[in-house]
Amino acid sequence: MRRKIVAANWKMNLSIKEAKDLAHQILTSDLQLNEKNSVVLCVPFTHLHVVNEELSKHKVNSVYLGAQNCSDKLQGAFTGEISPLMLQNLNTTHVIIGHSERRQYQNESNELLKSKVETLISQNMQVLFCCGEPLEIRKNESQNSYVAEQLTASLFHLNAEQLTKHIVIAYEPIWAIGTGLTASPQQAQDMHAFIRSLLSEKYGNEIAQQIPILYGGSCNAQNAKELFSNQDVDGGLIGGAALKADTFLPIIHAMN
Ligand code: 13P
């Protein structure tokens, strides 16, 4: 059985106090996680410290701390950047790489993302690698080749061991992010199955079957169960609905 993951992407939201309170609420509820079902909280850099404190206080198994980006360099004269080593100082184990908002607003290229992936793997960290197409691409039905190019350019240089140990893929169609327009369970399943077929072509079916593929884009307490019931959907990367315990906890339960 593949690992399942529900990851929160808080994006640029919440004060430090709100972050601490939300982490506390999540960690003190009955999550029913195990080594196959986990939760990752991807919080703003400035909030890692306080969320890390909550995590060490409550010691809940299978809840991990994540960041939303990092540098592809480990140290040096890179003003304003955050190194994976700094993240590890705060017990951060996971990093979102290639979110569409960073591709769009920070012009992050497939090549830069490839370099970030390599740096994170060199530090034994977990990568939540995002892919997904904009609306125009979906409208002309070229989403498969678009996503294939993103994965090929930034991930497919890895060997099978690096892939299975370090990579979780998140499919996030851009037209579904923050819009309330969720992909239908069939659209999600079709793309996830396509991604798995690409993995299988490159690495073989046994490896492809081990890689978790999460869905992101207006996933919420109402639609999570149906989305996650698809064969190739192994959980979700959650934005808006992860900002409150009462909308996030049901999504964790939908995974379980
Ligand atoms: P929403 O859940 O707010 O649509 O955001 C999804 C997302 O971008 C998670 O990374």
Side-chain angles (χ1 to χ4, degrees):
M1 210 181 64
R2 266 193 300 276
R3 289 181 292 140
K4 293 193 174 187
I5 299 163
V6 166
N9 178 5
W10 289 357
K11 307 193 180 184
M12 197 173 72
N13 292 298
L14 305 176
S15 67
I16 290 182
K17 161 121 186 29
E18 288 165 341
K20 181 181 161 74
D21 291 347
L22 177 54
H24 177 85
Q25 278 179 288
I26 294 168
L27 294 168
T28 51
S29 58
D30 182 20
L31 297 176
Q32 297 178 359
L33 301 173
N34 55 50
E35 63 285 353
K36 286 279 183 194
N37 287 18
S38 57
V39 166
V40 186
L41 302 177
C42 299
V43 314
F45 292 133
T46 46
H47 300 15
L48 287 166
H49 183 74
V50 76
V51 176
N52 180 37
E53 278 181 350
E54 286 300 309
L55 284 164
S56 2
K57 191 173 0 166
H58 297 288
K59 293 195 173 51
V60 180
N61 284 338
S62 302
V63 182
Y64 300 98
L65 185 57
Q68 301 167 15
N69 174 42
C70 70
S71 174
D72 66 326
K73 308 289 192 305
L74 291 178
Q75 62 178 32
F78 302 102
T79 303
E81 291 293 286
I82 302 284
S83 160
L85 298 175
M86 298 168 179
L87 298 177
Q88 282 189 315
N89 282 176
L90 291 164
N91 295 323
T92 307
T93 50
H94 292 62
V95 183
I96 296 174
I97 292 295
H99 193 282
S100 58
E101 287 150 16
R102 295 203 60 84
R103 292 176 188 265
Q104 184 180 352
Y105 305 130
Q106 269 72 36
N107 292 317
E108 293 199 354
S109 66
N110 286 335
E111 198 161 326
L112 174 65
L113 301 176
K114 175 182 178 186
S115 177
K116 291 187 182 199
V117 167
E118 276 172 8
T119 306
L120 285 165
I121 291 179
S122 77
Q123 300 310 307
N124 203 19
M125 295 180 78
Q126 297 289 309
V127 178
L128 301 175
F129 186 85
C130 298
C131 58
E133 80 287 354
L135 187 59
E136 317 81 78
I137 296 288
R138 170 64 63 167
K139 278 191 180 149
N140 66 33
E141 295 179 7
S142 38
Q143 65 271 16
N144 285 8
S145 55
Y146 188 93
V147 167
E149 169 61 21
Q150 291 179 320
L151 297 177
T152 308
S154 303
L155 290 185
F156 282 11
H157 63 293
L158 300 177
N159 64 38
E161 190 190 348
Q162 290 173 319
L163 195 83
T164 50
K165 269 198 179 160
H166 298 282
I167 304 294
V168 172
I169 293 173
Y171 169 59
E172 300 207 307
I174 297 172
W175 46 271
I177 296 178
T179 57
L181 264 183
T182 320
S184 69
Q186 191 60 51
Q187 285 172 321
Q189 169 57 25
D190 287 350
M191 178 56 84
H192 286 223
F194 171 69
I195 292 171
R196 208 174 300 288
S197 76
L198 289 175
L199 293 169
S200 179
E201 259 170 50
K202 169 84 186 160
Y203 296 97
N205 188 46
E206 198 183 319
I207 300 291
Q209 290 302 331
Q210 295 175 42
I211 309 297
I213 307 176
L214 316 185
Y215 169 79
S218 300
C219 182
N220 58 38
Q222 286 71 44
N223 59 30
K225 204 164 190 168
E226 202 183 349
L227 283 162
F228 298 172
S229 67
N230 286 292
Q231 194 187 339
D232 289 291
V233 179
D234 307 310
L237 180 52
I238 318 298
L243 294 172
K244 289 202 171 107
D246 61 353
T247 51
F248 187 53
L249 292 169
I251 302 177
I252 298 176
H253 296 137
M255 161 179 69
N256 297 336

